[in-house]
Amino acid sequence: MTRTGSGTGNLGFTPSEMMSIAAARELRDGQVCFVGIGAPSTAANLARATQAPGLVLIYESGCIGAKPTTLPLSIGDGELADTADAVVSVPEIFNYWLQPGRIDVGFLGAAQIDRFANLNTTVIGPYDRPEVRLPGAGGAPEIAGSCKEVMIMIKQSRRTFVDPLDFRTSIGFGDGPGSRERLGLRGSGPRMVITDLGILRPDPDSCELTLTDLHPGVSVEAARQATGWELAVAPEPRVTPAPTEAELAHLRHLVSKRPQGSSK
Amino acid sequence: MTRTGSGTGNLGFTPSEMMSIAAARELRDGQVCFVGIGAPSTAANLARATQAPGLVLIYESGCIGAKPTTLPLSIGDGELADTADAVVSVPEIFNYWLQPGRIDVGFLGAAQIDRFANLNTTVIGPYDRPEVRLPGAGGAPEIAGSCKEVMIMIKQSRRTFVDPLDFRTSIGFGDGPGSRERLGLRGSGPRMVITDLGILRPDPDSCELTLTDLHPGVSVEAARQATGWELAVAPEPRVTPAPTEAELAHLRHLVSKRPQGSSK
Amino acid sequence: MAEIVSLREAVAELVGDGDTVAMEGFSHLIPHLAGHEVIRQERRHLTLVRLTPDLIFDQLIGMGVADKLVFSWGGNPGVGSLHRFRDAIENGWPTSLEIEEHSHAGLTNRFVAGASGLPFAILRGYAGTGLVERVGNIKSVQCPFTGETLAAVPAINPDVAIIHAQQADVHGNVQMWGLTGVQKEAVLASSRSIVTVEEIVQTIELRPGGVVLPTWAVTAVAHVPGGAHPSYASGFYERDNAFYSEWEAISRSRESFLSWMERNVLEVGA
Amino acid sequence: MAEIVSLREAVAELVGDGDTVAMEGFSHLIPHLAGHEVIRQERRHLTLVRLTPDLIFDQLIGMGVADKLVFSWGGNPGVGSLHRFRDAIENGWPTSLEIEEHSHAGLTNRFVAGASGLPFAILRGYAGTGLVERVGNIKSVQCPFTGETLAAVPAINPDVAIIHAQQADVHGNVQMWGLTGVQKEAVLASSRSIVTVEEIVQTIELRPGGVVLPTWAVTAVAHVPGGAHPSYASGFYERDNAFYSEWEAISRSRESFLSWMERNVLEVGA
């Protein structure tokens, strides 16, 4: 567990950087992506700066086709509205653009995730007497339900990878196979969970998150230690290609221009 | 029945002009008025030109606060959009502005009216084999249901004042007292019906249209003859004040600037 | 991403016999020339959808393109009747025309539900009208909070939406302004869409009142200047009120209608 | 017609103890100075409503103005927690705070239903989430056409909506542009409304993206330049990201919070 610091160590990049770059690589040019603030926004904008210049970014504040040149601090920064193809009302974003399932990828973060990729952004501890009151649902429940597929970014630890969740704010695969179908959800659910240690994907049969990729220098054992349940691991996890110089340069350039005030 | 021609006769004004002027007088400054095309639009714009300069005109095409200087031919003339305080989508006009009951006066015309001020703009004859297929409902059913009150303009004759209607396109007082309440309608229904012969108002108890005003030179008998049911008449019908010179001048000026192509 | 193609190609590829086709435009930006192309390509058995069928729908109906019409107000605004529409309904000429009629509020909300990915919409509407009995597609639903009864209409999700807009950029992003009716909803509710435009520009500059459809929400864009005539395109040309008036005489008889269509539509290329 | 009054008068006349008050602004045009005036006038027992309670709601909650909060995301965007909001929920300081939480889509549609004069709204939402059990105000309804089950949320109709906009004209017509969130719906859903504006102009010139509220749909307009700071007003000033960051330290302890409020809000006139 030497990989949780924020230094670049001897690999020349930090685990957070690897997480952003691994996530950015999964976005394809021309896709339409509904972006949460923070890590997903960083990754999506990195993708736009690298292999997916035509990625269409949608922010729940009403921006369709935002093309920020600096990372926004909030989902409603002026930079997003000023560079968007269209700015619409919040009702329109949710009702006309998200709900019908026309978004390719929903990109979410969370405070907790469980083995079926359900997410908690509501409370740590009991709902009525929370130890930590988190911000709440925001756009997540409907992003998780309606996008054609969902990508999740979350730092992996026993505090974040838990079973059960303290609260289920948005659904991944619910209680396992068939849950989404029974709920009438149209999107296919989480395609992958990208952490600072590796990548997990749902098992096609059981829907359980399975470690399929490890970032450079991370062991299966380290990933197991950072998971609050018995982690399913693919027979031969791939090793994520290390960040290229270009990827790192783009990412660091983006982050360096992030507005003052950001803590993450 | 000498009053149905379109000449000005010896009174110096036509029955149609009297109808427009009588209707315009009933609109008050500052009211918000949802206007149908044709006669209601003429009367509403005459009101704006005379005693109600602050009358707010709403057209279902999406114009809020239209201030046309010429009479529009359609409810979507460029003149309406160009002079409006706000232009919104058709869904917004119906859902946000009409439906909640924020409009003071709905202003309707029709092909047929019955004794409870229900209107037909759908068919003459049987629905499945109409003698005349009329344009249909348009905005009328919800204007009739949702505006705080409704004013109706219609030329009075045995073809237009009928009982029963061939089709009930929009509701006045339904089958009489209590109908609107049972249907959950929020608006109070028709306040008056202005014709080329006089003005009819619903009886406070029976809701039946009652002739309360006669235009200059029109007899009770003429109004009875032009009504397809036994017309209720107030004990002493008032006589509508004749058009003033200013009213006539404004009306004729408006009509003279009406776009080519209008047949009414 | 929208492809920029000719109107002929767009209609050939995207409008099929038997399709449900919404051609929207609420008194402004009515896609007349796209309608003419549908007539020239001899589509049949269409279900046509529009709040305010006017001249172009009169022409489509008179040329036998449609089996069914879903609408809420069919007339020649400020002038009078649509004679081809009436002839089809009253006399079954050139073929019988099934109709499903709504109020504007009802049909608008069918589009809103369609654009929203919902199976139905609720409204305070239709109460006490003959439409409830005559139109199969109006039901009611109870509010689970207050118990109130509201009207319910089903979503409409046409196969194709056809609209006219002022401009597109070279990537296929579309901007329209002025009265934009229910066009955005029609495009978003439909499986495919054709947008004819007055001009194609390098970059869209947002206008007051501008409504933008991003290219990835549109199937095809065709450059068709004048495509809304005799209706108008704010910023480009005015409504040809005289033609609306002339249509009264042209359309009154089957013969004069057919001869006008022959000369002005069939013999004209896209 | 909207009256043009001072902020002090507007709050004094239109915001009463115990009212349900929506102060909207989705990361832009947040009515901070109006919130300060509510604090200065010591309103109590309010139910506060907003999709994205951030700093101004943290301040209102920390000053004991609210009994209840209806919201969908409460945080300091890009920075972290709202400490006063957390202290109220986690520790009941300064008073206990009842909460009713939704998703953005759900609360947005509560406003839409409220603005539309409908008792409820339907959406594809909340499915499979803990919110359904924890929030009393989410039910379901069946589509009368397809039989599908959809989420239903009740309309919200606040007593007062408070928003900030870029401009009003001398008649009280309001224009805002840029991100306009759910502000139009909040005003239309509410019985009364206060709009603070950056400037009052003779005549509104429509802007790209401009959203207009006609004067007759607004109760009061107050000229409050800078009224959105530390959020921003597109065309007037930028978001003060540094202050959002500083709020983390100011709000972390009750003492530093109270002393900041004393100096920066209570001792300052409207």
Side-chain angles (χ1 to χ4, degrees), chain D residues 94-119:
Chain D
T95 58
S96 66
L97 181 71
E98 186 187 346
I99 58 171
E100 177 187 322
E101 63 185 304
H102 285 273
S103 64
H104 281 341
L107 187 48
T108 292
N109 278 297
R110 294 195 63 191
F111 277 118
V112 169
S116 302
L118 291 172

Side-chain angles (χ1 to χ4, degrees), chain D residues 184-202:
Chain D
K184 178 186 268 189
E185 288 76 13
V187 167
L188 295 182
S190 298
S191 307
R192 306 183 292 280
S193 56
I194 299 171
V195 183
T196 60
V197 296
E198 290 295 329
E199 64 178 11
I200 293 186
V201 297
Q202 195 60 35

